[in-house]
């Protein structure tokens, strides 16, 4: 049966036309006055649409549109908000560079707003905040992702507390996305070959303030039913579904940008899912410029950026060689590589035929710039992937870090934003990159900040009760039973929240390790405590589901009922209530398995105090003035011992510090010491973990240098890339002949500060000239393990040549006391290298 289709749009009066424009731009998601226009239009429809302004406009009766169009008060409010929207788009941005070049940002998921459910958790929320902040900064950046027909699942708990998943269909014609069209009015489509099949995808656009996000969709008639489901579900299906999705994201994403007229010169891969884009970029340049694989890869290496998020090897995407052969055997021929050389691109040990193909390794090998998402995660990542760079010390592995942040106006509720705007001044809204405005936090009176927070806690309790009622009705609870939800939680009790993905390493049940001790805290009538849990387990994570079940069962005990609740289907809407209305944000991962953890930033920016293991961002953000640390950053080999020690430490914090500080009130009823910590939290987190700081770091460290590399390619042609590729080919061929021997030093066993040490070495460079290598003295203090720490690199200068060897020397001053050590090594040297750390090219004495 052939079905003919057409699209029906709401008939909106001309005077209300700005509503439609703003409904299709996610600028609305961080501007509450714009949201108020839709709430004011019809609150019941707003709620029924699940806070989706684009859908809501199709649900509003025509009579209501007509009455709003005749309401001078409503029209005045609309003009004011629309004027603000227009001014935002036209304002002079932070970015002052050239807009002829752009950056393409690729991510598997985007958490922009609850009206666009194409996200699952932290990675997606981060991507959403990245896009919003890019708009604020005015960066020439576009996003690329997939348009999932079902998105991530809706979580429902059965009567036994066990998680079940439901996958509702998304109606894109009633969501804030619009299909891209050609000048002739036809849908923009691209084609990607997968295992001999031609997969067609159409392209949609999401407006995010001044920025655009492009999403690919295979659910169209040109594809057979099996291929229409490639974009059915986020993180759904088996390994074959995943590789097809990642081919579409990386390879199809580049083609989609070309099809809509965007030609980025820099690509940023947010996690390894998008790494295939590197192959597509190389293929394009080989075809367009007639370059070899080595030359094209070298040219684009300097324009690729990769961000890794996963601190455990098992969490990085790996594909079996059978799948790689099915989908990429033809690619090796197109790229001019033999099959083993192609597979080596995704292997830590390039000669290991048993190793599967890893997307993270591919991204690292194809990117000159790579980073983790916190300082600690950068260290963990260097340790994880050091095998790619044999011979380098761990600290020199070229993976840096940019600590994540959050978009303030998305995560601070309007009640607190109104206070901050009033006391911080107009620069807070108009110049969010001026992070010094957070220094004005002490202008706010203790009383006003506390009363504002109390209202947020009251709203959280009302929200939680409403959610509990909906859960109970779905499970068939009687009206009498529903009354229990009205007594759940207290609007004035110390409220702890734990909300995140339920993976076992996050230890969502750590507080249940001593039920009797917990019960004593919960039942204290003078100093009441209550806990809200929320979060989803991966559909295939059975241990995670068991933790949820354990929490639900405990919450239903008669002696704790109403004091502990588990709210099902955690999403962005719930997150906003919890991160602004709680008093304590609890986080209990096993260090160092939390890469960053941005939910604590959202909470801390709202004055919700963090109580967390020193992992991820909290290892940088914690101070005794702004929250509490569980432990001192220890790491354990025995996880059972770790759980026992850290659960006791958590109970001690609650009993001795957190609860007494919260309930220590003055004659005016204010917890002064608590409020002082709230102000410190808002200041420290707002100033140091705003995504504006994060994205300015990305821009200065990575985007601008990569764009400059691209401009050099554009202005000077590909001669430099060819020369660098030729040099690396020579260097790899000659490196076995590079030898460092006869290292001599003028140092005595004991030297005095201020004296100078001369180090000499004889170095054979093979067919490489002295200009093509860098001989370094690597020196510094020697620790108890016999290794050099805090090393200093000093280039040694060549002298005379004899017998095929060069004499190198350097002098260094003795500046610090203690035992010192030194070593000599050789690295490649060429003007075309962004950094000299090329896998396999380092030779130590």
């Amino acid at each position: 049966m052939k079905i003919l289709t057409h699209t029906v749009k709401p008939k909106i009066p001309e005077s209300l036309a700005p509503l439609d424009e703003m409904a299709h731009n996610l600028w609305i998601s961080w501007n509450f006055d714009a949201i108020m226009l839709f709430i004011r239009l019809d609150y019941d429809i707003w709620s029924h649409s699940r806070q989706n302004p684009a859908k809501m406009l199709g649900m509003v009766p025509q009579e209501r549109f007509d009455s709003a169009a005749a309401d001078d008060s409503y029209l005045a409010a609309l003009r004011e908000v629309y004027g603000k929207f227009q001014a935002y788009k036209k304002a002079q941005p932070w970015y002052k560079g050239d807009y002829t070049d752009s950056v393409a940002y690729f991510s598997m998921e985007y958490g922009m707003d609850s009206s666009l459910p194409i996200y699952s958790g932290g990675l997606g929320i981060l991507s959403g905040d990245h896009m919003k902040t890019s708009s604020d900064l005015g960066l020439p950046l576009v996003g690329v992702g997939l348009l999932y027909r079902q998105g991530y699942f809706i979580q429902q708990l059965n009567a036994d507390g066990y998680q079940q998943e439901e996958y509702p269909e998304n109606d894109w014609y009633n969501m804030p996305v619009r299909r891209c069209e050609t000048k002739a009015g036809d849908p923009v489509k691209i084609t990607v070959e997968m295992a001999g099949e031609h997969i067609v995808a159409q392209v949609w656009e999401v407006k995010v303030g001044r920025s655009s996000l492009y999403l690919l969709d295979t659910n169209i008639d040109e594809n057979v039913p099996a291929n229409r489901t490639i974009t059915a579900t986020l993180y759904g299906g088996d390994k074959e579904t995943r590789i097809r999705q990642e081919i579409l994201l990386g390879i199809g994403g580049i083609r989609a940008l070309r099809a809509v007229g965007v030609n980025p010169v820099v690509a940023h891969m947010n996690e390894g899912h998008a790494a295939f884009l590197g192959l597509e970029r190389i293929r394009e340049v080989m075809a367009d410029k007639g370059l070899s694989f080595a030359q094209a890869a070298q040219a684009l290496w300097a324009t690729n950026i990769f961000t890794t998020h996963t601190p455990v090897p098992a969490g990085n995407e790996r594909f079996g060689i059978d799948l790689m052969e099915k989908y990429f055997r033809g690619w090796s021929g197109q790229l001019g590589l033999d099959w083993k050389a192609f597979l080596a691109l995704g292997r830590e040990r390039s000669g290991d035929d048993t190793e599967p193909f890893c997307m993270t390794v591919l991204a690292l090998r194809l990117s000159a710039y790579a980073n983790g998402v916190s300082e600690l995660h950068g260290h963990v990542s260097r340790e994880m992937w050091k095998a790619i760079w044999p011979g380098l010390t761990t600290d020199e592995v070229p993976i840096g870090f940019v600590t994540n942040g959050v978009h303030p106006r998305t995560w601070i509720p309007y009640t607190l934003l109104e206070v901050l705007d009033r006391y911080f001044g107009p620069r807070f809204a108009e110049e969010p990159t001026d992070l010094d405005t957070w220094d004005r936090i002490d202008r706010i009176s203790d009383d006003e900040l506390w009363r504002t927070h109390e209202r947020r806690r009251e709203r959280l309790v009302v929200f939680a009760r409403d959610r509990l009622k909906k859960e109970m009705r779905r499970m068939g609870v009687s009206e009498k039973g529903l009354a229990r939800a009205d007594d759940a939680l207290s609007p004035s009790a110390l409220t702890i929240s734990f909300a995140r993905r339920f993976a076992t390493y996050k230890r969502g049940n750590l507080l249940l390790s001593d039920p009797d001790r917990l019960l004593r805290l919960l039942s204290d009538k003078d100093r009441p405590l209550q806990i809200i849990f929320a979060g989803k387990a991966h559909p295939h994570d059975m241990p995670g589901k068991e933790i949820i079940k354990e929490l639900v069962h405990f919450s239903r005990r008669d002696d704790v009922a109403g004091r502990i609740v588990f709210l099902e289907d955690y999403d962005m809407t719930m997150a906003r209530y919890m991160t602004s209305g709680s008093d304590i944000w609890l986080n209990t991962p096993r260090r160092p398995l939390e890469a960053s953890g941005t939910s604590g930033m959202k909470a801390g920016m709202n004055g919700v105090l963090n109580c967390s293991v020193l992992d991820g961002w909290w290892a940088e953000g914690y101070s005794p003035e702004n929250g509490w640390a569980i432990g001192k950053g220890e790491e354990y080999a025995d996880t059972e011992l770790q759980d026992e020690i850290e659960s006791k430490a958590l109970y001690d914090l609650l009993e001795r510090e957190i609860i007494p500080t919260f309930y220590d009130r003055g004659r005016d009823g204010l917890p002064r010491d608590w409020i002082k910590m709230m102000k410190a939290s808002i200041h420290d987190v707002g100033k140091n973990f705003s995504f504006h700081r994060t994205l300015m770091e990305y821009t200065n460290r990575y985007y601008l240098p990569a764009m400059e590399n691209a401009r050099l390619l554009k202005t000077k042609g590909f001669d430099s890339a060819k020369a660098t590729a030729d040099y690396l080919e020579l260097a790899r061929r000659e490196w076995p002949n590079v030898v460092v021997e006869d290292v001599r030093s003028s140092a005595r066993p004991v030297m005095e500060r201020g004296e100078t040490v001369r180090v000499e070495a004889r170095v054979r460079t093979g067919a490489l000239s002295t200009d093509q290598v860098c001989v370094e003295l690597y020196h510094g203090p020697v620790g108890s393990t016999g290794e050099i720490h805090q090393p200093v690199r000093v280039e040694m200068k060549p002298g005379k040549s004899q017998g095929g060897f060069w004499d190198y020397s350097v002098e260094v001053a003795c500046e610090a006391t203690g035992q010192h050590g030194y070593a000599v090594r050789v690295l490649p040297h060429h003007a075309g290298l962004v950094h000299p750390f090329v896998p396999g090219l380092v030779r130590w004495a």
Side-chain angles (χ1 to χ4, degrees):
M1 177 176 64
K2 183 175 179 61
I3 299 176
L4 302 177
T5 63
H6 61 275
T7 304
V8 179
K9 297 176 64 177
K11 186 179 179 182
I12 301 174
E14 186 176 348
S15 59
L16 302 181
L19 286 174
D20 187 57
E21 182 181 350
M22 289 188 290
H24 287 84
N25 191 311
L26 289 177
W27 174 85
I28 191 176
S29 67
W30 70 91
N31 286 275
F32 187 74
D33 51 357
I35 292 173
M36 276 302 299
L37 291 172
F38 292 84
I39 293 175
R40 186 173 168 184
L41 196 61
D42 194 306
Y43 177 77
D44 290 337
I45 293 178
W46 170 255
S47 299
H48 190 63
S49 71
R50 295 179 68 91
Q51 302 180 14
N52 179 347
K55 184 176 182 179
M56 177 189 175
L57 291 179
M59 299 167 65
V60 173
Q62 197 62 42
E63 312 86 71
R64 179 63 191 113
F65 277 134
D66 294 340
S67 63
D71 184 342
D72 59 346
S73 172
Y74 187 86
L75 291 176
L78 176 57
R79 282 193 297 271
E80 181 179 353
V81 173
Y82 188 62
K84 179 181 174 183
F85 174 55
Q86 295 293 93
Y88 172 84
K89 292 197 294 182
K90 296 175 182 177
Q92 181 67 36
W94 171 82
Y95 178 76
K96 301 295 191 296
D98 188 350
Y99 282 86
T100 57
D101 295 332
S102 62
V103 177
Y105 176 81
F106 284 68
S107 183
M108 202 71 168
E109 52 174 303
Y110 289 87
M112 301 281 196
D113 187 64
S114 55
S115 64
L116 190 63
I118 56 171
Y119 64 94
S120 70
L123 178 70
I125 301 300
L126 178 86
S127 303
D129 283 3
H130 198 112
M131 291 300 304
K132 293 174 184 179
T133 310
S134 171
S135 170
D136 287 347
L137 269 56
L139 293 180
L141 181 145
V142 295
V144 181
L146 302 182
L147 191 69
Y148 301 102
R149 197 178 81 210
Q150 297 176 330
Y152 207 51
F153 67 88
I154 288 178
Q155 178 195 50
Q156 293 184 343
L157 304 179
N158 66 14
D160 192 36
Y162 195 77
Q163 173 183 294
Q164 296 177 318
E165 297 85 32
E166 180 183 343
Y167 293 88
E169 295 283 332
N170 289 320
D171 178 8
W172 300 120
Y173 294 92
N174 281 310
M175 288 188 175
V177 298
R178 283 192 165 137
R179 193 169 58 182
C180 296
E181 295 182 347
T182 65
K183 291 181 179 179
D186 299 319
V188 172
K189 297 177 182 178
I190 58 97
T191 302
V192 180
E193 184 184 2
M194 298 187 196
E197 293 185 278
H198 291 280
I199 312 298
V200 182
Q202 63 182 352
V203 186
W204 299 71
E205 182 182 13
V206 180
K207 286 290 187 182
V208 188
R210 291 185 270 217
S211 301
S212 289
L213 166 64
Y214 295 99
L215 302 171
L216 281 76
D217 167 27
T218 64
N219 185 28
I220 54 179
D221 292 339
E222 287 90 334
N223 294 321
V224 298
N227 294 336
R228 294 180 68 158
T229 63
I230 291 174
T231 54
T233 308
L234 172 60
Y235 301 140
D238 55 13
K239 279 286 187 182
E240 185 151 15
T241 301
R242 292 292 289 272
I243 197 172
R244 286 155 68 85
Q245 287 185 334
E246 295 179 16
I247 291 170
L248 182 66
L249 174 64
I251 298 171
I254 291 291
R255 296 178 186 180
L257 291 177
R258 306 283 189 237
V260 297
V262 177
N263 294 294
V265 298
V266 171
H268 183 178
M269 299 167 244
N270 190 42
E271 196 54 286
H273 307 126
F276 290 138
L277 73 82
L279 301 179
E280 173 66 4
R281 297 188 78 204
I282 290 170
R283 185 200 64 78
E284 285 183 334
V285 170
M286 290 177 67
D288 293 345
K289 306 297 180 181
L291 303 184
S292 68
F293 174 85
Q295 293 167 340
Q298 183 58 45
L300 296 172
W301 176 73
T303 67
N304 283 335
I305 301 156
F306 170 58
T307 299
T308 177
H309 292 262
T310 311
V312 290
N316 291 270
E317 191 81 87
R318 287 177 167 84
F319 295 117
I321 303 307
D322 55 339
L323 271 182
M324 290 302 299
E325 184 151 15
K326 179 177 180 179
Y327 286 94
F328 282 95
R329 191 67 190 234
W331 269 82
S332 64
Q334 289 186 61
L335 298 177
L337 297 174
D338 65 50
W339 183 233
K340 188 169 183 176
F342 179 87
L343 292 177
L345 295 172
R347 286 173 165 164
E348 292 179 71
R349 299 169 300 279
S350 57
D352 185 354
D353 291 339
T354 65
E355 185 180 343
F357 191 94
C358 179
M359 297 294 284
T360 301
V361 174
L362 176 65
L364 286 169
R365 289 192 183 277
L366 297 182
S367 302
Y369 307 97
N371 69 282
V373 288
S374 69
E375 184 175 8
L376 178 59
H377 182 233
H379 173 75
V380 170
S381 298
R382 289 190 290 275
E383 186 68 38
M384 279 178 61
W385 302 111
K386 63 184 180 182
I388 299 174
W389 293 272
L392 280 188
T393 61
T394 300
D395 287 342
E396 289 184 306
V397 169
I399 302 175
F401 75 93
V402 176
T403 303
N404 284 341
V406 296
H407 186 253
R409 291 192 171 264
T410 293
W411 297 105
I412 299 177
Y414 69 94
T415 47
L416 180 57
L417 268 180
E418 188 274 332
V419 175
L420 298 181
D421 282 334
R422 184 153 33 92
Y423 285 95
F424 286 6
R427 286 211 326 256
F428 183 55
E430 296 167 5
E431 300 177 41
T433 55
D434 183 0
L435 300 175
D436 289 340
T437 54
W438 293 93
D439 294 340
R440 300 177 176 181
I441 186 65
D442 286 328
R443 294 182 177 183
I444 304 172
S445 71
D446 288 0
D447 181 79
E448 184 164 12
L449 181 61
W450 183 246
R451 301 307 174 208
T452 301
H453 178 67
E454 286 193 312
R455 286 196 295 274
R456 294 310 308 172
R457 192 191 313 114
E458 291 167 3
R459 289 172 184 265
L460 170 60
V461 169
V462 171
F463 174 85
R465 289 173 176 174
D466 184 59
R467 278 293 181 102
L468 288 171
K469 282 184 180 179
K470 289 179 180 177
E471 294 172 24
M472 290 178 174
R473 287 195 181 98
R474 182 179 52 76
M475 289 188 283
V477 175
S478 66
E479 287 299 318
K480 184 178 180 181
L482 289 175
R484 293 200 308 270
D486 291 326
D487 294 327
L489 305 176
S490 164
S492 58
L494 171 60
T495 303
I496 297 175
S497 284
F498 180 100
R500 53 196 26 87
R501 181 168 57 88
F502 271 83
T504 51
Y505 79 86
K506 293 179 182 284
R507 300 186 295 180
N509 56 350
L510 191 66
L511 261 179
L512 271 56
S513 58
D514 191 340
D516 294 335
R517 197 172 179 183
L518 177 59
L519 184 60
R520 286 195 297 272
L521 296 177
L522 293 170
S523 57
D524 188 331
K525 291 184 173 57
D526 296 325
R527 302 189 305 182
L529 173 72
Q530 59 193 15
I531 308 171
I532 302 174
F533 289 98
K536 300 176 180 179
H538 188 279
H540 303 309
D541 184 0
M542 299 307 152
K545 290 184 178 183
E546 286 298 327
I547 293 175
I548 293 175
K549 181 180 174 182
E550 179 185 0
L551 290 169
V552 172
H553 279 221
F554 190 84
S555 72
R556 292 174 181 173
R557 286 176 45 164
D558 291 339
D559 49 2
V560 300
R563 299 185 184 96
I564 294 182
V565 299
F566 190 103
L567 303 181
E568 66 181 18
D569 201 33
Y570 184 58
D571 62 4
M572 288 185 71
T573 299
M574 189 186 297
R576 288 191 179 100
Y577 279 97
M578 294 183 70
T579 56
S580 64
S582 309
D583 298 300
I584 289 289
W585 195 258
L586 182 63
N587 191 26
T588 54
R590 288 194 179 98
R591 177 183 164 120
L593 302 183
E594 180 96 291
S596 178
T598 56
S599 64
M601 300 176 190
K602 302 174 185 99
M605 203 174 282
N606 282 298
V608 176
L609 303 182
N610 277 271
C611 177
S612 173
V613 171
L614 287 171
D615 199 5
W617 81 280
W618 192 233
E620 299 167 54
Y622 164 71
S623 76
E625 290 75 32
N626 65 18
W628 287 273
I630 302 170
K632 297 181 180 179
E634 304 91 344
E635 295 177 18
Y636 299 79
D638 185 338
T639 57
E640 290 186 7
L641 176 64
Q642 181 178 10
D643 292 351
E644 180 182 354
I645 292 173
E646 292 183 344
S647 65
K648 289 179 178 178
L650 173 55
Y651 280 116
D652 287 345
L653 283 174
L654 287 170
E655 293 168 347
R656 298 175 186 177
E657 297 187 37
I658 295 174
I659 295 175
T661 305
F662 182 82
Y663 284 107
D664 182 13
R665 309 292 171 99
R667 294 178 62 184
D668 54 7
L670 298 178
R672 296 285 181 178
D673 290 341
W674 189 276
I675 296 170
K676 185 178 180 181
M677 293 183 73
M678 287 178 65
K679 287 185 175 180
S681 176
I682 293 171
H683 170 268
D684 295 353
V685 179
K687 186 170 185 176
N688 298 314
F689 299 97
S690 159
F691 213 105
H692 297 90
R693 186 272 310 155
T694 300
L695 199 48
M696 286 190 289
E697 283 191 29
Y698 270 116
T699 302
N700 291 324
R701 289 191 199 177
Y702 302 136
Y703 291 169
L704 294 180
M707 291 169 81
E708 180 59 27
N709 296 336
R711 288 191 190 103
L712 290 175
L713 276 179
K714 187 184 296 184
T715 57
K716 296 184 178 181
F718 287 80
D719 290 343
S720 174
K722 292 177 182 178
T724 307
D726 292 343
Y727 162 75
L728 288 174
E729 183 181 1
L730 171 65
R732 291 188 176 101
R733 187 171 63 247
E734 286 297 318
W735 212 251
N737 300 321
V738 174
V739 179
V740 181
E741 63 177 43
D742 193 22
V743 178
R744 302 178 303 278
S745 166
S746 67
R748 303 185 304 276
V750 179
M751 302 286 291
E752 292 185 352
R753 179 185 286 165
E755 291 187 301
T756 299
V757 173
R758 179 178 177 85
V759 179
E760 299 175 344
R762 298 183 68 202
V763 180
R764 184 191 297 275
T765 62
L768 296 169
S769 70
T770 55
D771 292 336
Q772 293 176 314
V773 295
C774 176
V775 180
E776 289 185 341
L777 179 69
Y778 183 93
H779 71 100
V782 175
S784 59
T785 61
E787 296 180 352
I788 296 174
H789 60 91
Q790 298 178 334
V792 176
R793 299 164 52 199
V794 182
E795 184 176 352
M796 302 178 72
K797 299 300 182 183
K800 61 183 179 180
S801 171
Q802 53 182 340
F805 284 86
W806 289 88
D807 291 330
Y808 279 81
S809 63
V810 70
E811 292 185 352
V812 292
C814 298
E815 296 177 345
T817 59
Q819 188 178 35
H820 287 252
Y822 57 88
V824 175
R825 69 179 180 185
V826 184
L827 294 170
H829 181 265
H830 193 276
L833 294 175
V834 172
H835 58 72
F837 302 124
V838 179
L841 298 187
V842 58
R843 178 76 71 224
W844 292 89

